[in-house]
Amino acid sequence: MRAVVQRINSCKLSVEGREVSSCGFGYLVLVGFTQGDSEEKADYIVNRIVNMRIFRNKEGKLDLALKDVGGQVMCVSNFTIYADPTTGRRPNFSHALAHEEAIGLYNYTVKKFRELVGDCAEGVFGEYMHLESDLDGPVTVIFEK
């Protein structure tokens, strides 16, 4: 499982020109899955993300976690983070988990974010989505388990 986490001021997600979800200050989390991924790996990564201290404290030091600042999460499935661009001119996506298996892990990941953070905005699995995000920093962290 991979997760690309970007600290944001806000984010909105649209499908076919219609806004379907949005969130404010917090994280945009792009998640992808591969063979061998499990709910246990999702638990580990979601816990790490929620407790990661990359928000500024009063002294300006990156020392506060998402829950400390009352941040929100937008979680979006993204199989392309498992792209292998090392051969040819078209990336190889064969390391991404098949749609039928990945959807269950994605839904579980969103559920875990909701358990730990409260609400979790989400993408529409398997759809072509348009994201607009206002990055903060920018601060970007990649998780893999």
Side-chain angles (χ1 to χ4, degrees), residues 18-38:
R18 190 183 96 251
E19 185 177 321
V20 295
S21 63
S22 63
C23 77
F25 182 69
Y27 292 145
L28 168 58
V29 181
L30 305 175
V31 294
F33 305 96
T34 192
Q35 284 300 122
D37 282 348
S38 63

mmCIF file with all atom_site columns, all heavy atoms in Angstrom, residues 18-38:
data_model
loop_
_atom_site.group_PDB
_atom_site.id
_atom_site.type_symbol
_atom_site.label_atom_id
_atom_site.label_alt_id
_atom_site.label_comp_id
_atom_site.label_asym_id
_atom_site.label_entity_id
_atom_site.label_seq_id
_atom_site.pdbx_PDB_ins_code
_atom_site.Cartn_x
_atom_site.Cartn_y
_atom_site.Cartn_z
_atom_site.occupancy
_atom_site.B_iso_or_equiv
_atom_site.pdbx_formal_charge
_atom_site.auth_seq_id
_atom_site.auth_comp_id
_atom_site.auth_asym_id
_atom_site.auth_atom_id
_atom_site.pdbx_PDB_model_num
ATOM 1   N N   . ARG A 1 18 ? -19.318 17.869  -11.864 1.00 0.00 ? 18 ARG A N   1
ATOM 2   C CA  . ARG A 1 18 ? -20.157 18.004  -10.674 1.00 0.00 ? 18 ARG A CA  1
ATOM 3   C C   . ARG A 1 18 ? -19.323 17.770  -9.424  1.00 0.00 ? 18 ARG A C   1
ATOM 4   O O   . ARG A 1 18 ? -18.687 16.724  -9.289  1.00 0.00 ? 18 ARG A O   1
ATOM 5   C CB  . ARG A 1 18 ? -21.303 16.993  -10.744 1.00 0.00 ? 18 ARG A CB  1
ATOM 6   C CG  . ARG A 1 18 ? -22.371 17.197  -9.677  1.00 0.00 ? 18 ARG A CG  1
ATOM 7   C CD  . ARG A 1 18 ? -23.457 16.115  -9.761  1.00 0.00 ? 18 ARG A CD  1
ATOM 8   N NE  . ARG A 1 18 ? -23.119 15.068  -8.801  1.00 0.00 ? 18 ARG A NE  1
ATOM 9   C CZ  . ARG A 1 18 ? -22.682 13.847  -9.078  1.00 0.00 ? 18 ARG A CZ  1
ATOM 10  N NH1 . ARG A 1 18 ? -22.495 13.475  -10.312 1.00 0.00 ? 18 ARG A NH1 1
ATOM 11  N NH2 . ARG A 1 18 ? -22.413 12.982  -8.135  1.00 0.00 ? 18 ARG A NH2 1
ATOM 12  N N   . GLU A 1 19 ? -19.292 18.747  -8.522  1.00 0.00 ? 19 GLU A N   1
ATOM 13  C CA  . GLU A 1 19 ? -18.545 18.575  -7.275  1.00 0.00 ? 19 GLU A CA  1
ATOM 14  C C   . GLU A 1 19 ? -19.216 17.496  -6.431  1.00 0.00 ? 19 GLU A C   1
ATOM 15  O O   . GLU A 1 19 ? -20.413 17.551  -6.175  1.00 0.00 ? 19 GLU A O   1
ATOM 16  C CB  . GLU A 1 19 ? -18.488 19.887  -6.488  1.00 0.00 ? 19 GLU A CB  1
ATOM 17  C CG  . GLU A 1 19 ? -17.625 19.781  -5.252  1.00 0.00 ? 19 GLU A CG  1
ATOM 18  C CD  . GLU A 1 19 ? -17.496 21.101  -4.497  1.00 0.00 ? 19 GLU A CD  1
ATOM 19  O OE1 . GLU A 1 19 ? -17.386 22.161  -5.146  1.00 0.00 ? 19 GLU A OE1 1
ATOM 20  O OE2 . GLU A 1 19 ? -17.500 21.050  -3.250  1.00 0.00 ? 19 GLU A OE2 1
ATOM 21  N N   . VAL A 1 20 ? -18.395 16.501  -6.013  1.00 0.00 ? 20 VAL A N   1
ATOM 22  C CA  . VAL A 1 20 ? -18.949 15.399  -5.220  1.00 0.00 ? 20 VAL A CA  1
ATOM 23  C C   . VAL A 1 20 ? -18.432 15.369  -3.790  1.00 0.00 ? 20 VAL A C   1
ATOM 24  O O   . VAL A 1 20 ? -19.050 14.761  -2.924  1.00 0.00 ? 20 VAL A O   1
ATOM 25  C CB  . VAL A 1 20 ? -18.732 14.022  -5.898  1.00 0.00 ? 20 VAL A CB  1
ATOM 26  C CG1 . VAL A 1 20 ? -19.503 13.939  -7.195  1.00 0.00 ? 20 VAL A CG1 1
ATOM 27  C CG2 . VAL A 1 20 ? -17.270 13.738  -6.129  1.00 0.00 ? 20 VAL A CG2 1
ATOM 28  N N   . SER A 1 21 ? -17.297 16.017  -3.529  1.00 0.00 ? 21 SER A N   1
ATOM 29  C CA  . SER A 1 21 ? -16.812 16.092  -2.149  1.00 0.00 ? 21 SER A CA  1
ATOM 30  C C   . SER A 1 21 ? -15.786 17.208  -2.023  1.00 0.00 ? 21 SER A C   1
ATOM 31  O O   . SER A 1 21 ? -15.209 17.665  -3.012  1.00 0.00 ? 21 SER A O   1
ATOM 32  C CB  . SER A 1 21 ? -16.223 14.756  -1.676  1.00 0.00 ? 21 SER A CB  1
ATOM 33  O OG  . SER A 1 21 ? -15.106 14.380  -2.432  1.00 0.00 ? 21 SER A OG  1
ATOM 34  N N   . SER A 1 22 ? -15.588 17.626  -0.785  1.00 0.00 ? 22 SER A N   1
ATOM 35  C CA  . SER A 1 22 ? -14.611 18.684  -0.511  1.00 0.00 ? 22 SER A CA  1
ATOM 36  C C   . SER A 1 22 ? -14.185 18.583  0.943   1.00 0.00 ? 22 SER A C   1
ATOM 37  O O   . SER A 1 22 ? -14.842 17.930  1.763   1.00 0.00 ? 22 SER A O   1
ATOM 38  C CB  . SER A 1 22 ? -15.223 20.064  -0.783  1.00 0.00 ? 22 SER A CB  1
ATOM 39  O OG  . SER A 1 22 ? -16.305 20.306  0.092   1.00 0.00 ? 22 SER A OG  1
ATOM 40  N N   . CYS A 1 23 ? -13.071 19.226  1.248   1.00 0.00 ? 23 CYS A N   1
ATOM 41  C CA  . CYS A 1 23 ? -12.639 19.312  2.640   1.00 0.00 ? 23 CYS A CA  1
ATOM 42  C C   . CYS A 1 23 ? -11.802 20.571  2.818   1.00 0.00 ? 23 CYS A C   1
ATOM 43  O O   . CYS A 1 23 ? -11.315 21.151  1.848   1.00 0.00 ? 23 CYS A O   1
ATOM 44  C CB  . CYS A 1 23 ? -11.884 18.070  3.094   1.00 0.00 ? 23 CYS A CB  1
ATOM 45  S SG  . CYS A 1 23 ? -10.195 17.924  2.549   1.00 0.00 ? 23 CYS A SG  1
ATOM 46  N N   . GLY A 1 24 ? -11.646 20.946  4.064   1.00 0.00 ? 24 GLY A N   1
ATOM 47  C CA  . GLY A 1 24 ? -10.857 22.115  4.391   1.00 0.00 ? 24 GLY A CA  1
ATOM 48  C C   . GLY A 1 24 ? -9.451  21.730  4.808   1.00 0.00 ? 24 GLY A C   1
ATOM 49  O O   . GLY A 1 24 ? -8.911  20.703  4.390   1.00 0.00 ? 24 GLY A O   1
ATOM 50  N N   . PHE A 1 25 ? -8.867  22.532  5.661   1.00 0.00 ? 25 PHE A N   1
ATOM 51  C CA  . PHE A 1 25 ? -7.505  22.378  6.152   1.00 0.00 ? 25 PHE A CA  1
ATOM 52  C C   . PHE A 1 25 ? -7.247  20.959  6.646   1.00 0.00 ? 25 PHE A C   1
ATOM 53  O O   . PHE A 1 25 ? -8.019  20.411  7.427   1.00 0.00 ? 25 PHE A O   1
ATOM 54  C CB  . PHE A 1 25 ? -7.291  23.387  7.285   1.00 0.00 ? 25 PHE A CB  1
ATOM 55  C CG  . PHE A 1 25 ? -5.920  23.381  7.871   1.00 0.00 ? 25 PHE A CG  1
ATOM 56  C CD1 . PHE A 1 25 ? -4.838  23.829  7.139   1.00 0.00 ? 25 PHE A CD1 1
ATOM 57  C CD2 . PHE A 1 25 ? -5.722  22.938  9.166   1.00 0.00 ? 25 PHE A CD2 1
ATOM 58  C CE1 . PHE A 1 25 ? -3.568  23.836  7.694   1.00 0.00 ? 25 PHE A CE1 1
ATOM 59  C CE2 . PHE A 1 25 ? -4.457  22.945  9.723   1.00 0.00 ? 25 PHE A CE2 1
ATOM 60  C CZ  . PHE A 1 25 ? -3.388  23.398  8.987   1.00 0.00 ? 25 PHE A CZ  1
ATOM 61  N N   . GLY A 1 26 ? -6.167  20.360  6.166   1.00 0.00 ? 26 GLY A N   1
ATOM 62  C CA  . GLY A 1 26 ? -5.814  19.008  6.592   1.00 0.00 ? 26 GLY A CA  1
ATOM 63  C C   . GLY A 1 26 ? -4.959  18.312  5.569   1.00 0.00 ? 26 GLY A C   1
ATOM 64  O O   . GLY A 1 26 ? -3.925  18.839  5.152   1.00 0.00 ? 26 GLY A O   1
ATOM 65  N N   . TYR A 1 27 ? -5.421  17.124  5.127   1.00 0.00 ? 27 TYR A N   1
ATOM 66  C CA  . TYR A 1 27 ? -4.652  16.298  4.206   1.00 0.00 ? 27 TYR A CA  1
ATOM 67  C C   . TYR A 1 27 ? -5.463  15.891  2.986   1.00 0.00 ? 27 TYR A C   1
ATOM 68  O O   . TYR A 1 27 ? -6.631  15.507  3.099   1.00 0.00 ? 27 TYR A O   1
ATOM 69  C CB  . TYR A 1 27 ? -4.219  14.986  4.866   1.00 0.00 ? 27 TYR A CB  1
ATOM 70  C CG  . TYR A 1 27 ? -3.218  15.091  5.972   1.00 0.00 ? 27 TYR A CG  1
ATOM 71  C CD1 . TYR A 1 27 ? -3.288  14.215  7.047   1.00 0.00 ? 27 TYR A CD1 1
ATOM 72  C CD2 . TYR A 1 27 ? -2.189  16.023  5.949   1.00 0.00 ? 27 TYR A CD2 1
ATOM 73  C CE1 . TYR A 1 27 ? -2.355  14.269  8.069   1.00 0.00 ? 27 TYR A CE1 1
ATOM 74  C CE2 . TYR A 1 27 ? -1.268  16.086  6.967   1.00 0.00 ? 27 TYR A CE2 1
ATOM 75  C CZ  . TYR A 1 27 ? -1.354  15.210  8.030   1.00 0.00 ? 27 TYR A CZ  1
ATOM 76  O OH  . TYR A 1 27 ? -0.436  15.267  9.036   1.00 0.00 ? 27 TYR A OH  1
ATOM 77  N N   . LEU A 1 28 ? -4.800  15.893  1.843   1.00 0.00 ? 28 LEU A N   1
ATOM 78  C CA  . LEU A 1 28 ? -5.252  15.174  0.659   1.00 0.00 ? 28 LEU A CA  1
ATOM 79  C C   . LEU A 1 28 ? -4.413  13.902  0.647   1.00 0.00 ? 28 LEU A C   1
ATOM 80  O O   . LEU A 1 28 ? -3.176  13.970  0.656   1.00 0.00 ? 28 LEU A O   1
ATOM 81  C CB  . LEU A 1 28 ? -5.011  15.980  -0.619  1.00 0.00 ? 28 LEU A CB  1
ATOM 82  C CG  . LEU A 1 28 ? -5.168  15.224  -1.940  1.00 0.00 ? 28 LEU A CG  1
ATOM 83  C CD1 . LEU A 1 28 ? -6.559  14.627  -2.082  1.00 0.00 ? 28 LEU A CD1 1
ATOM 84  C CD2 . LEU A 1 28 ? -4.826  16.134  -3.106  1.00 0.00 ? 28 LEU A CD2 1
ATOM 85  N N   . VAL A 1 29 ? -5.071  12.744  0.675   1.00 0.00 ? 29 VAL A N   1
ATOM 86  C CA  . VAL A 1 29 ? -4.373  11.456  0.717   1.00 0.00 ? 29 VAL A CA  1
ATOM 87  C C   . VAL A 1 29 ? -4.733  10.662  -0.533  1.00 0.00 ? 29 VAL A C   1
ATOM 88  O O   . VAL A 1 29 ? -5.886  10.289  -0.734  1.00 0.00 ? 29 VAL A O   1
ATOM 89  C CB  . VAL A 1 29 ? -4.755  10.647  1.977   1.00 0.00 ? 29 VAL A CB  1
ATOM 90  C CG1 . VAL A 1 29 ? -4.003  9.319   2.001   1.00 0.00 ? 29 VAL A CG1 1
ATOM 91  C CG2 . VAL A 1 29 ? -4.499  11.445  3.247   1.00 0.00 ? 29 VAL A CG2 1
ATOM 92  N N   . LEU A 1 30 ? -3.724  10.420  -1.390  1.00 0.00 ? 30 LEU A N   1
ATOM 93  C CA  . LEU A 1 30 ? -3.890  9.563   -2.555  1.00 0.00 ? 30 LEU A CA  1
ATOM 94  C C   . LEU A 1 30 ? -3.424  8.173   -2.156  1.00 0.00 ? 30 LEU A C   1
ATOM 95  O O   . LEU A 1 30 ? -2.288  8.013   -1.682  1.00 0.00 ? 30 LEU A O   1
ATOM 96  C CB  . LEU A 1 30 ? -3.065  10.083  -3.727  1.00 0.00 ? 30 LEU A CB  1
ATOM 97  C CG  . LEU A 1 30 ? -3.312  11.538  -4.135  1.00 0.00 ? 30 LEU A CG  1
ATOM 98  C CD1 . LEU A 1 30 ? -2.333  11.945  -5.237  1.00 0.00 ? 30 LEU A CD1 1
ATOM 99  C CD2 . LEU A 1 30 ? -4.740  11.750  -4.572  1.00 0.00 ? 30 LEU A CD2 1
ATOM 100 N N   . VAL A 1 31 ? -4.281  7.159   -2.306  1.00 0.00 ? 31 VAL A N   1
ATOM 101 C CA  . VAL A 1 31 ? -3.924  5.799   -1.890  1.00 0.00 ? 31 VAL A CA  1
ATOM 102 C C   . VAL A 1 31 ? -3.962  4.844   -3.066  1.00 0.00 ? 31 VAL A C   1
ATOM 103 O O   . VAL A 1 31 ? -4.825  4.941   -3.935  1.00 0.00 ? 31 VAL A O   1
ATOM 104 C CB  . VAL A 1 31 ? -4.835  5.267   -0.752  1.00 0.00 ? 31 VAL A CB  1
ATOM 105 C CG1 . VAL A 1 31 ? -4.637  6.052   0.518   1.00 0.00 ? 31 VAL A CG1 1
ATOM 106 C CG2 . VAL A 1 31 ? -6.284  5.235   -1.159  1.00 0.00 ? 31 VAL A CG2 1
ATOM 107 N N   . GLY A 1 32 ? -2.998  3.927   -3.079  1.00 0.00 ? 32 GLY A N   1
ATOM 108 C CA  . GLY A 1 32 ? -2.936  2.881   -4.085  1.00 0.00 ? 32 GLY A CA  1
ATOM 109 C C   . GLY A 1 32 ? -2.606  1.561   -3.416  1.00 0.00 ? 32 GLY A C   1
ATOM 110 O O   . GLY A 1 32 ? -1.976  1.530   -2.352  1.00 0.00 ? 32 GLY A O   1
ATOM 111 N N   . PHE A 1 33 ? -3.008  0.478   -4.053  1.00 0.00 ? 33 PHE A N   1
ATOM 112 C CA  . PHE A 1 33 ? -2.838  -0.848  -3.461  1.00 0.00 ? 33 PHE A CA  1
ATOM 113 C C   . PHE A 1 33 ? -2.162  -1.779  -4.453  1.00 0.00 ? 33 PHE A C   1
ATOM 114 O O   . PHE A 1 33 ? -2.273  -1.617  -5.664  1.00 0.00 ? 33 PHE A O   1
ATOM 115 C CB  . PHE A 1 33 ? -4.214  -1.413  -3.062  1.00 0.00 ? 33 PHE A CB  1
ATOM 116 C CG  . PHE A 1 33 ? -4.972  -0.494  -2.154  1.00 0.00 ? 33 PHE A CG  1
ATOM 117 C CD1 . PHE A 1 33 ? -5.918  0.385   -2.663  1.00 0.00 ? 33 PHE A CD1 1
ATOM 118 C CD2 . PHE A 1 33 ? -4.724  -0.475  -0.799  1.00 0.00 ? 33 PHE A CD2 1
ATOM 119 C CE1 . PHE A 1 33 ? -6.611  1.255   -1.841  1.00 0.00 ? 33 PHE A CE1 1
ATOM 120 C CE2 . PHE A 1 33 ? -5.402  0.392   0.039   1.00 0.00 ? 33 PHE A CE2 1
ATOM 121 C CZ  . PHE A 1 33 ? -6.354  1.258   -0.486  1.00 0.00 ? 33 PHE A CZ  1
ATOM 122 N N   . THR A 1 34 ? -1.453  -2.781  -3.893  1.00 0.00 ? 34 THR A N   1
ATOM 123 C CA  . THR A 1 34 ? -0.753  -3.772  -4.695  1.00 0.00 ? 34 THR A CA  1
ATOM 124 C C   . THR A 1 34 ? -0.946  -5.152  -4.082  1.00 0.00 ? 34 THR A C   1
ATOM 125 O O   . THR A 1 34 ? -1.544  -5.281  -2.989  1.00 0.00 ? 34 THR A O   1
ATOM 126 C CB  . THR A 1 34 ? 0.744   -3.409  -4.817  1.00 0.00 ? 34 THR A CB  1
ATOM 127 O OG1 . THR A 1 34 ? 1.356   -4.214  -5.819  1.00 0.00 ? 34 THR A OG1 1
ATOM 128 C CG2 . THR A 1 34 ? 1.483   -3.581  -3.503  1.00 0.00 ? 34 THR A CG2 1
ATOM 129 N N   . GLN A 1 35 ? -0.440  -6.192  -4.759  1.00 0.00 ? 35 GLN A N   1
ATOM 130 C CA  . GLN A 1 35 ? -0.548  -7.564  -4.259  1.00 0.00 ? 35 GLN A CA  1
ATOM 131 C C   . GLN A 1 35 ? -0.019  -7.648  -2.833  1.00 0.00 ? 35 GLN A C   1
ATOM 132 O O   . GLN A 1 35 ? 1.006   -7.059  -2.511  1.00 0.00 ? 35 GLN A O   1
ATOM 133 C CB  . GLN A 1 35 ? 0.239   -8.527  -5.141  1.00 0.00 ? 35 GLN A CB  1
ATOM 134 C CG  . GLN A 1 35 ? -0.425  -8.848  -6.451  1.00 0.00 ? 35 GLN A CG  1
ATOM 135 C CD  . GLN A 1 35 ? -1.788  -9.482  -6.290  1.00 0.00 ? 35 GLN A CD  1
ATOM 136 O OE1 . GLN A 1 35 ? -2.757  -8.951  -6.781  1.00 0.00 ? 35 GLN A OE1 1
ATOM 137 N NE2 . GLN A 1 35 ? -1.888  -10.592 -5.614  1.00 0.00 ? 35 GLN A NE2 1
ATOM 138 N N   . GLY A 1 36 ? -0.711  -8.404  -1.994  1.00 0.00 ? 36 GLY A N   1
ATOM 139 C CA  . GLY A 1 36 ? -0.270  -8.610  -0.625  1.00 0.00 ? 36 GLY A CA  1
ATOM 140 C C   . GLY A 1 36 ? -0.766  -7.553  0.346   1.00 0.00 ? 36 GLY A C   1
ATOM 141 O O   . GLY A 1 36 ? -0.537  -7.662  1.552   1.00 0.00 ? 36 GLY A O   1
ATOM 142 N N   . ASP A 1 37 ? -1.434  -6.518  -0.150  1.00 0.00 ? 37 ASP A N   1
ATOM 143 C CA  . ASP A 1 37 ? -1.963  -5.507  0.764   1.00 0.00 ? 37 ASP A CA  1
ATOM 144 C C   . ASP A 1 37 ? -3.138  -6.083  1.548   1.00 0.00 ? 37 ASP A C   1
ATOM 145 O O   . ASP A 1 37 ? -3.816  -7.005  1.097   1.00 0.00 ? 37 ASP A O   1
ATOM 146 C CB  . ASP A 1 37 ? -2.384  -4.248  0.001   1.00 0.00 ? 37 ASP A CB  1
ATOM 147 C CG  . ASP A 1 37 ? -1.190  -3.390  -0.376  1.00 0.00 ? 37 ASP A CG  1
ATOM 148 O OD1 . ASP A 1 37 ? -0.082  -3.649  0.138   1.00 0.00 ? 37 ASP A OD1 1
ATOM 149 O OD2 . ASP A 1 37 ? -1.356  -2.467  -1.188  1.00 0.00 ? 37 ASP A OD2 1
ATOM 150 N N   . SER A 1 38 ? -3.357  -5.517  2.735   1.00 0.00 ? 38 SER A N   1
ATOM 151 C CA  . SER A 1 38 ? -4.361  -6.059  3.638   1.00 0.00 ? 38 SER A CA  1
ATOM 152 C C   . SER A 1 38 ? -4.931  -4.945  4.506   1.00 0.00 ? 38 SER A C   1
ATOM 153 O O   . SER A 1 38 ? -4.413  -3.820  4.525   1.00 0.00 ? 38 SER A O   1
ATOM 154 C CB  . SER A 1 38 ? -3.711  -7.112  4.549   1.00 0.00 ? 38 SER A CB  1
ATOM 155 O OG  . SER A 1 38 ? -2.710  -6.475  5.350   1.00 0.00 ? 38 SER A OG  1
#
